[in-house]
Structure formats: structure tokens, C-alpha cells
Amino acid sequence: MIIDIHGHYTTEPQALHTFRDKQLAGLAEASRMPKDTNLGLSDEQLVQSVQPQLKLQRDRGSDLTIFSPRASGMGHHVGTEAVGKVWCQVSNDLIHRICTLLPDNFAPVGQLPQTPGAPIENVLPELKRLHELGFVGVNLNPDPSGGYWKSPPLTDRYWYPIYEKLVEYQMPAMIHVTGSCNPAVHFTGAHYINGDTTAFMQLLQGNLFKDFPQLRFVIPHGGGAVPFHWGRYRGIAQDMGKPLLEEHLLNNVFFDTCVYHYPGIELMTKVVPIDNILFASELLGAVKGIDPRTGHHYDDTRRYIDQVKALSDEDRYKIYEGNARRIYPRLDRMLAARGKPGRRMEAVA
Amino acid sequence: MIIDIHGHYTTEPQALHTFRDKQLAGLAEASRMPKDTNLGLSDEQLVQSVQPQLKLQRDRGSDLTIFSPRASGMGHHVGTEAVGKVWCQVSNDLIHRICTLLPDNFAPVGQLPQTPGAPIENVLPELKRLHELGFVGVNLNPDPSGGYWKSPPLTDRYWYPIYEKLVEYQMPAMIHVTGSCNPAVHFTGAHYINGDTTAFMQLLQGNLFKDFPQLRFVIPHGGGAVPFHWGRYRGIAQDMGKPLLEEHLLNNVFFDTCVYHYPGIELMTKVVPIDNILFASELLGAVKGIDPRTGHHYDDTRRYIDQVKALSDEDRYKIYEGNARRIYPRLDRMLAARGKPGRRMEAVA
């Protein structure tokens, strides 16, 4: 099977946007704050809302998408912590419902009610709830200030309480920023990519995984600039007296394949170990168009991977399925319980 | 000849550091502020200080380095504007002296006395001085706040006064941040690369080169994440209704080859037009070590370019020399005046 580990619910029904508008209007005029978190959406409406994703799964031959709320919609820098908690819960509940309605197509990943400057402990109740609801991972924002980088680096003890729980729950975190409120920094074209690069460098500078050997991070968008500058990062680690990247970071840090052209994907497969690459497309849609040079959608990343001739069948299995099962153990167990074990289990059977 | 367009004076004599210490001490206790900007350095001391660079030129077979003050040393976020102006002048004067002493080896690029929040007009006197001294370009910092991105994007009219002068003076700007005072953002491993990516995206969003068709920017470090995500940027431009990148940006935006492994350089040459790639190594030394996989220095970027078999002789000429002469017309004229014209002029002769 083919697992796309990075999809966002970007086709939300208007009712969700209306709810958010009312919430934010409520900051200015309290009477406008919605009292009810029930959006009145039927199961049919939710299933209808993800038809574009289902069509792309069929068209492109992927089976299951790891599905989380719209990344730019998390808006950790917007409003108050109280408003953020409700927003987070409402957003996650929709993901949960969709994944429950369509369990063969979607597996849930949640957002967290992070607030700039607030203790990270404040997100733990929602994380516990996500764990109980069967979410297989979370999106963790290294910069809840939205483009101003006001939080301590990911290696700081500030973050340790959530890492303890992520390890206990066997839930990996995708390191994903939200929208940018910094006019110098475009969201999908700069902030997302910078977030990936910055997070990797923070991890390189520290020794976080000595304290949390079981913690797993997925860095999206192909790892930002990292694979393109792989020599730079290997060299900086060496200058800093760190172990080789393989030993220092790559048991814990993984990259997705949201890189929208063949040469980028080819480079990834050349420099990043195959065990650290997970198939993803970021549907829908940081980039929506069709590449006139190929006649295919930029974000149809499966085409690029299929073109890399140097990959063995085993490599492809890992990128498309095996690594996802390993990094998201709750997903693997969920699939196995539904009679869809991974290859190693098949070999035993 | 081989022109390395990105070298920094990172082997400064101790006297320069001592001067800076006194300057910054003077912020706390006025009596410590140095009254004299004469560092007491002899020509011999300056020539001695760049022996490491000269040795690398010989060892690696490059001829001339476009040479500017240490990038992280610019420190636009450090101290007051008055202190920054003196610091800038002292730093540029050393570059000027070295390039005058060793004109066959170095051509001068200057730093600017930018200050967060100050009008960009305030740097124009120093820019005029650099022009009169024969500098061939400048480093322009898109984020003088040092990692917090508090300036308007490069497309904002805030920057127009300097663009007018850069065009008039025929001086290109390398878009180069300085050190980071943001603990979340490492300088060479995150801020530099993010600076490149962010600047490119700012330019993509705007239409700056409609107003300044003669303005030329060099984005260092291979363009940050840009070539690796070339499909993403092509797709975002398309979604925004912008022209093709070639037409929209590539008459004015160029990338250097400070990418420290072969696959990265190979990717650049596949996706970025050859006319937009300029040879550079960033000596010395964002990355100082020897790659144990190759036995050569990570930053010996010439080796990577030489390995790209798909490049024609003409391509190599452009990357190593021709593009630099085109983008830095003052350098080309300086070389021609010394009896070293470019290939096209040779063909005429």
C-alpha cells in the first residue's frame, strides 16, 4: 500500500471558517464569541468535503493519507490561549470524525493548542485527548509566534514535558509551523521551508536524542534546505565535534517527500538514507497548478519517486509504506488490526 | 581565469577585534569608546593576514576573490547607528587596503551601515564612498534585526533609495544577512540559508524588477533552499499569476555555488539556468573541515563543478568567469584595464 504521510484538511466546510470568524470577532466584542462548538455538520457533509482528496488518492494511486488540520489555519499566534484551545479542539474533532468515517483513506494527526510564551504543559490535556481518540501523531510548531522565532529552540528543556508524553504515547511529531504574521516572510514559500531548516539546525546543535532516544520527528517539505545543503550540515556537525548525522540525528529525524520536481527528489534519495524518507504530497495544496513542462501537477510527488531508477523494490517499499509504519507505530497497529500488516509481518505469516 | 565571487575577510588581525571590543565597551562606559579609527596595521600585516586565502587560491586554482568583511561581523543589530557607521567604515577600509595591495587576488565588496528601523537613506554616504573607492558591489542585509525579520520585504519602497544608487553605480548587491541574535536561529546553519530563501520569496511575490530592470542581486549559499524546491517556486509563481521565473526574476537574480557537496551542485546546474550561476566558495570558512568521504575540504566547491559532466566549456566559462564579469561590470572593466579582458573581448581582439 501507499501511505501519504502529509495531508491537510484544506477543503473544510464553510461552517468551520464561520466558526473561526465568530471566535476572532468575539475577541473584539465578547457577545460574538460562539457558545456552541457543534458546527452542525453531518457525516455526509464531512465525507463530501474530502472528495477532492479521495479523487487524488484514486488518480495517483495512493491508499491512505495521514491527515491533519490545515497547517496555516492552526494560527498559534492568533487570539488568546483560551480561544486557541477551543479552535484546536474543534479542528481536531473534524479530523477525528473524517478518519472514523473513512478509516481506509485517512489516519488522524492533530494540532496542538500552542500559544507564544505559554508553558508547553498547557497543550498536554489536548495531547492526551488525541491519544485516547487514536490519533497517530501531532504537528508541533517550533515557532508559535508566526514568523518571529520567539520560542526557545526545540532542544530546550521548555519542550521536554511534551516530549515525555510523545514518547509514552508512541506518537511522532511533524515539526510544522503555521501561517506567518511577519510581512517579510511568506508562509508556504519561506516560513514553512525556513521552519524545516531551522528545526533541523536546532537539533544538530543539541543532543536532544540522548535524553529522548525514542522521540521521533518528521521534518516536512523534504527537510527544507537540508538535503540540498547536506554537505554543509555534515561539515558544521563535524566542526562542532558532533557525531556523524546518521548517529547524531537520523535515528530520530525523518524527512517527507514534499519536493515538487524530479531533481529535488532525486537529490534526496542520493544523500538522505532511504530509511529516513517518507512519501508525502502535502495535499491539498501548497502548490495547486500543473507543471507545463511535464503536464502533471507539481505536487504529484509519486511520479518523481517512481522515476528514480536507482531505488530498489525494498527502497520503494520503505519510502511508500515501511518507514511510515515504523515511525507511526500506532498507524501500523491500526492497519494490522484491520488485516493489513506490513511486509515484515506478511513474511512471518 | 577563475573568479570566486564570495569570500569574507575572516582572518582579520586581532587589532580589528580589539577595536570592536572597545567600541561596544564604549556603549556601556563612554570613556572606553576608541577615538582613533587608525588600527595601526601595516601593509605587511594586512598582506600577512590573507595568506590563508592566497594559499587556498593557489591550492584550488582560483585567481581572484570578490572579498568583503566577515558577514557575521557586520552585526547590524549590535549597538547604535553611530557606532555601526564607524565600524562599517573601518571594516571597509581594511578590505579596500587589501584589494589595493593585492589587486590580482582580491576585488572589494563592502558592508553597509544598516540599522534596524533606520531609514535606508542613512547608508547612502558610505555607499557613495565605496563607489568612489572602486568597490565592485555591496552586501545588503534583508534582516538587520539579526534573525527576527523586522524589516519590510526587499520589494518595499523602503529600500528604493538604495536601489536607485546601486543601479546608478552599477554595483550589484549580494543579499547576505549577518549574525543571528535569535537563540532559535543558528547563523551559518539556519539564518544564512533562511535569509537566502526568504529574500528570493520576497522577490517572487513582488514586481521589483519592473521598477529596477538594471538592479542585480546575488543570492549566496546556492540560493538557500530555492534550487532544491525549484518546482515549488515555479508552482507558487504560477499560482500567483506571475510570469515564468526566467522572465520574472532571472534577469536580475543570481545564485552562487556555496553548496558543499556534489549532489547539491549537480542539482543547481540542472534546474538553474547556467547564466544565473556564479562560482563561489565562501572562503574562509562557514565550514572548515575535510569531508572524510572525499578526503577534500567541504568548501572546495570547484571540485564539484568540475565533476558535472553535463557542463560544456562555455557553461564552465560562464560559471567561473563570464557571469561574474557580466553581473559585476566594474570588476570586468577593472580587469580589462589591467589587460585581462573577458572571452568576448578576447574574441574581438
Side-chain angles (χ1 to χ4, degrees), chain A residues 47-61:
Chain A
V47 169
Q48 193 56 40
S49 72
V50 292
Q51 290 305 311
Q53 285 84 348
L54 295 177
K55 178 174 187 323
L56 286 174
Q57 287 185 349
R58 285 191 303 270
D59 289 352
R60 301 184 185 178

PDB file of all heavy atoms in Angstrom, chain A residues 47-61:
ATOM      1  N   VAL A  47     -17.912  13.770   4.632  1.00  0.00           N
ATOM      2  CA  VAL A  47     -17.439  12.865   3.578  1.00  0.00           C
ATOM      3  C   VAL A  47     -17.402  13.609   2.245  1.00  0.00           C
ATOM      4  O   VAL A  47     -16.452  13.473   1.460  1.00  0.00           O
ATOM      5  CB  VAL A  47     -18.335  11.609   3.498  1.00  0.00           C
ATOM      6  CG1 VAL A  47     -18.026  10.802   2.243  1.00  0.00           C
ATOM      7  CG2 VAL A  47     -18.151  10.749   4.752  1.00  0.00           C
ATOM      8  N   GLN A  48     -18.430  14.411   2.028  1.00  0.00           N
ATOM      9  CA  GLN A  48     -18.457  15.190   0.791  1.00  0.00           C
ATOM     10  C   GLN A  48     -17.253  16.133   0.706  1.00  0.00           C
ATOM     11  O   GLN A  48     -16.652  16.298  -0.352  1.00  0.00           O
ATOM     12  CB  GLN A  48     -19.775  15.993   0.747  1.00  0.00           C
ATOM     13  CG  GLN A  48     -20.087  16.594  -0.607  1.00  0.00           C
ATOM     14  CD  GLN A  48     -20.116  15.540  -1.713  1.00  0.00           C
ATOM     15  OE1 GLN A  48     -20.612  14.435  -1.510  1.00  0.00           O
ATOM     16  NE2 GLN A  48     -19.550  15.871  -2.870  1.00  0.00           N
ATOM     17  N   SER A  49     -16.874  16.706   1.844  1.00  0.00           N
ATOM     18  CA  SER A  49     -15.820  17.732   1.834  1.00  0.00           C
ATOM     19  C   SER A  49     -14.448  17.171   1.465  1.00  0.00           C
ATOM     20  O   SER A  49     -13.572  17.924   1.049  1.00  0.00           O
ATOM     21  CB  SER A  49     -15.741  18.420   3.202  1.00  0.00           C
ATOM     22  OG  SER A  49     -15.172  17.548   4.170  1.00  0.00           O
ATOM     23  N   VAL A  50     -14.259  15.870   1.633  1.00  0.00           N
ATOM     24  CA  VAL A  50     -12.939  15.304   1.314  1.00  0.00           C
ATOM     25  C   VAL A  50     -12.940  14.528  -0.006  1.00  0.00           C
ATOM     26  O   VAL A  50     -11.991  13.796  -0.311  1.00  0.00           O
ATOM     27  CB  VAL A  50     -12.386  14.403   2.453  1.00  0.00           C
ATOM     28  CG1 VAL A  50     -12.070  15.257   3.675  1.00  0.00           C
ATOM     29  CG2 VAL A  50     -13.333  13.271   2.780  1.00  0.00           C
ATOM     30  N   GLN A  51     -13.972  14.745  -0.808  1.00  0.00           N
ATOM     31  CA  GLN A  51     -13.980  14.092  -2.120  1.00  0.00           C
ATOM     32  C   GLN A  51     -12.771  14.499  -2.979  1.00  0.00           C
ATOM     33  O   GLN A  51     -12.217  13.660  -3.697  1.00  0.00           O
ATOM     34  CB  GLN A  51     -15.295  14.369  -2.862  1.00  0.00           C
ATOM     35  CG  GLN A  51     -16.513  13.672  -2.243  1.00  0.00           C
ATOM     36  CD  GLN A  51     -16.342  12.172  -2.090  1.00  0.00           C
ATOM     37  OE1 GLN A  51     -15.940  11.473  -3.028  1.00  0.00           O
ATOM     38  NE2 GLN A  51     -16.605  11.655  -0.893  1.00  0.00           N
ATOM     39  N   PRO A  52     -12.327  15.764  -2.921  1.00  0.00           N
ATOM     40  CA  PRO A  52     -11.129  16.107  -3.714  1.00  0.00           C
ATOM     41  C   PRO A  52      -9.917  15.264  -3.318  1.00  0.00           C
ATOM     42  O   PRO A  52      -9.161  14.808  -4.185  1.00  0.00           O
ATOM     43  CB  PRO A  52     -10.905  17.587  -3.380  1.00  0.00           C
ATOM     44  CG  PRO A  52     -12.249  18.101  -2.976  1.00  0.00           C
ATOM     45  CD  PRO A  52     -12.919  16.955  -2.281  1.00  0.00           C
ATOM     46  N   GLN A  53      -9.726  15.039  -2.020  1.00  0.00           N
ATOM     47  CA  GLN A  53      -8.607  14.208  -1.578  1.00  0.00           C
ATOM     48  C   GLN A  53      -8.783  12.760  -2.055  1.00  0.00           C
ATOM     49  O   GLN A  53      -7.814  12.131  -2.503  1.00  0.00           O
ATOM     50  CB  GLN A  53      -8.491  14.222  -0.039  1.00  0.00           C
ATOM     51  CG  GLN A  53      -7.912  15.503   0.557  1.00  0.00           C
ATOM     52  CD  GLN A  53      -8.958  16.603   0.754  1.00  0.00           C
ATOM     53  OE1 GLN A  53     -10.082  16.503   0.254  1.00  0.00           O
ATOM     54  NE2 GLN A  53      -8.575  17.654   1.451  1.00  0.00           N
ATOM     55  N   LEU A  54     -10.005  12.255  -1.950  1.00  0.00           N
ATOM     56  CA  LEU A  54     -10.246  10.857  -2.346  1.00  0.00           C
ATOM     57  C   LEU A  54     -10.005  10.679  -3.844  1.00  0.00           C
ATOM     58  O   LEU A  54      -9.449   9.668  -4.279  1.00  0.00           O
ATOM     59  CB  LEU A  54     -11.671  10.442  -1.976  1.00  0.00           C
ATOM     60  CG  LEU A  54     -11.964  10.417  -0.469  1.00  0.00           C
ATOM     61  CD1 LEU A  54     -13.434  10.054  -0.215  1.00  0.00           C
ATOM     62  CD2 LEU A  54     -11.057   9.425   0.258  1.00  0.00           C
ATOM     63  N   LYS A  55     -10.399  11.689  -4.599  1.00  0.00           N
ATOM     64  CA  LYS A  55     -10.168  11.609  -6.049  1.00  0.00           C
ATOM     65  C   LYS A  55      -8.665  11.568  -6.345  1.00  0.00           C
ATOM     66  O   LYS A  55      -8.211  10.787  -7.188  1.00  0.00           O
ATOM     67  CB  LYS A  55     -10.816  12.797  -6.746  1.00  0.00           C
ATOM     68  CG  LYS A  55     -10.571  12.817  -8.260  1.00  0.00           C
ATOM     69  CD  LYS A  55     -11.348  13.919  -8.942  1.00  0.00           C
ATOM     70  CE  LYS A  55     -11.252  13.849 -10.471  1.00  0.00           C
ATOM     71  NZ  LYS A  55      -9.969  13.447 -11.029  1.00  0.00           N
ATOM     72  N   LEU A  56      -7.899  12.394  -5.643  1.00  0.00           N
ATOM     73  CA  LEU A  56      -6.446  12.403  -5.871  1.00  0.00           C
ATOM     74  C   LEU A  56      -5.822  11.079  -5.442  1.00  0.00           C
ATOM     75  O   LEU A  56      -4.887  10.600  -6.076  1.00  0.00           O
ATOM     76  CB  LEU A  56      -5.792  13.575  -5.139  1.00  0.00           C
ATOM     77  CG  LEU A  56      -6.049  14.946  -5.790  1.00  0.00           C
ATOM     78  CD1 LEU A  56      -5.494  16.059  -4.913  1.00  0.00           C
ATOM     79  CD2 LEU A  56      -5.448  15.022  -7.190  1.00  0.00           C
ATOM     80  N   GLN A  57      -6.316  10.499  -4.354  1.00  0.00           N
ATOM     81  CA  GLN A  57      -5.809   9.176  -3.963  1.00  0.00           C
ATOM     82  C   GLN A  57      -6.034   8.180  -5.107  1.00  0.00           C
ATOM     83  O   GLN A  57      -5.130   7.423  -5.470  1.00  0.00           O
ATOM     84  CB  GLN A  57      -6.509   8.672  -2.695  1.00  0.00           C
ATOM     85  CG  GLN A  57      -6.087   9.387  -1.415  1.00  0.00           C
ATOM     86  CD  GLN A  57      -6.721   8.775  -0.165  1.00  0.00           C
ATOM     87  OE1 GLN A  57      -7.636   7.948  -0.251  1.00  0.00           O
ATOM     88  NE2 GLN A  57      -6.223   9.191   0.997  1.00  0.00           N
ATOM     89  N   ARG A  58      -7.238   8.194  -5.655  1.00  0.00           N
ATOM     90  CA  ARG A  58      -7.536   7.264  -6.750  1.00  0.00           C
ATOM     91  C   ARG A  58      -6.683   7.568  -7.971  1.00  0.00           C
ATOM     92  O   ARG A  58      -6.052   6.688  -8.554  1.00  0.00           O
ATOM     93  CB  ARG A  58      -9.027   7.351  -7.128  1.00  0.00           C
ATOM     94  CG  ARG A  58      -9.974   6.692  -6.146  1.00  0.00           C
ATOM     95  CD  ARG A  58     -11.400   6.594  -6.716  1.00  0.00           C
ATOM     96  NE  ARG A  58     -11.953   7.887  -7.100  1.00  0.00           N
ATOM     97  CZ  ARG A  58     -12.663   8.671  -6.269  1.00  0.00           C
ATOM     98  NH1 ARG A  58     -12.911   8.287  -5.025  1.00  0.00           N
ATOM     99  NH2 ARG A  58     -13.141   9.830  -6.691  1.00  0.00           N
ATOM    100  N   ASP A  59      -6.665   8.861  -8.362  1.00  0.00           N
ATOM    101  CA  ASP A  59      -5.949   9.245  -9.587  1.00  0.00           C
ATOM    102  C   ASP A  59      -4.463   8.918  -9.499  1.00  0.00           C
ATOM    103  O   ASP A  59      -3.839   8.546 -10.493  1.00  0.00           O
ATOM    104  CB  ASP A  59      -6.084  10.748  -9.849  1.00  0.00           C
ATOM    105  CG  ASP A  59      -7.501  11.129 -10.276  1.00  0.00           C
ATOM    106  OD1 ASP A  59      -8.309  10.205 -10.498  1.00  0.00           O
ATOM    107  OD2 ASP A  59      -7.779  12.340 -10.367  1.00  0.00           O
ATOM    108  N   ARG A  60      -3.888   9.113  -8.318  1.00  0.00           N
ATOM    109  CA  ARG A  60      -2.442   8.985  -8.191  1.00  0.00           C
ATOM    110  C   ARG A  60      -2.016   7.668  -7.564  1.00  0.00           C
ATOM    111  O   ARG A  60      -0.831   7.417  -7.381  1.00  0.00           O
ATOM    112  CB  ARG A  60      -1.889  10.155  -7.379  1.00  0.00           C
ATOM    113  CG  ARG A  60      -2.218  11.499  -8.021  1.00  0.00           C
ATOM    114  CD  ARG A  60      -1.597  12.661  -7.273  1.00  0.00           C
ATOM    115  NE  ARG A  60      -2.045  13.932  -7.852  1.00  0.00           N
ATOM    116  CZ  ARG A  60      -1.706  15.128  -7.382  1.00  0.00           C
ATOM    117  NH1 ARG A  60      -0.910  15.211  -6.315  1.00  0.00           N
ATOM    118  NH2 ARG A  60      -2.142  16.229  -7.954  1.00  0.00           N
ATOM    119  N   GLY A  61      -3.011   6.861  -7.188  1.00  0.00           N
ATOM    120  CA  GLY A  61      -2.688   5.522  -6.704  1.00  0.00           C
ATOM    121  C   GLY A  61      -2.122   5.476  -5.297  1.00  0.00           C
ATOM    122  O   GLY A  61      -1.317   4.609  -4.987  1.00  0.00           O
TER     123      GLY A  61
END
